[in-house]
Amino acid sequence: MNKAGIIEYLSKKLKYSKEQLELIEAIDEAREELNITRQYFESVNDPQLVDYAIYKEEAAKARLSYLLKQAKEKGIRVDASLMLDEMEAV
């Protein structure tokens, strides 16, 4: 998936401000971080590393939740069908 291309496409098509685009990109990064921490959790066996993975996942979820709240307050909406169409074209 070409994330930079999707964000560029959205900025041209939907006319987001620079601040809104930065928030959309931060949300995308936070989702990716959450996925990575979940994969890490699945791969560790040591109890201390499991604790660390849980901590990292909770932090990633808190960050994503905060960013989504900010987007909602700013009225940012992204039509998922536009993103899917763009991803298929890439």
Side-chain angles (χ1 to χ4, degrees), residues 19 23 26-27 30-31 58-74 76:
E19 179 185 7
L23 186 53
I27 290 170
R31 284 185 177 146
E58 289 303 313
K61 289 193 301 189
R63 179 174 181 247
L64 179 59
S65 177
Y66 170 78
L67 292 170
L68 290 172
K69 181 181 175 191
Q70 292 295 307
K72 184 176 180 179
E73 288 173 0
K74 294 178 188 298
I76 297 174

Side-chain angles (χ1 to χ4, degrees), residues 24-75:
I24 291 168
E25 189 171 342
I27 290 170
D28 186 50
E29 290 170 2
R31 284 185 177 146
E32 183 65 24
E33 180 182 349
L34 182 57
N35 287 334
I36 290 169
T37 60
R38 287 180 174 163
Q39 291 172 2
Y40 179 74
F41 178 80
E42 294 295 326
S43 70
V44 296
N45 295 321
D46 185 283
Q48 288 180 325
L49 292 178
V50 169
D51 288 345
Y52 173 71
I54 292 169
Y55 169 78
K56 290 283 287 181
E57 182 179 9
E58 289 303 313
K61 289 193 301 189
R63 179 174 181 247
L64 179 59
S65 177
Y66 170 78
L67 292 170
L68 290 172
K69 181 181 175 191
Q70 292 295 307
K72 184 176 180 179
E73 288 173 0
K74 294 178 188 298

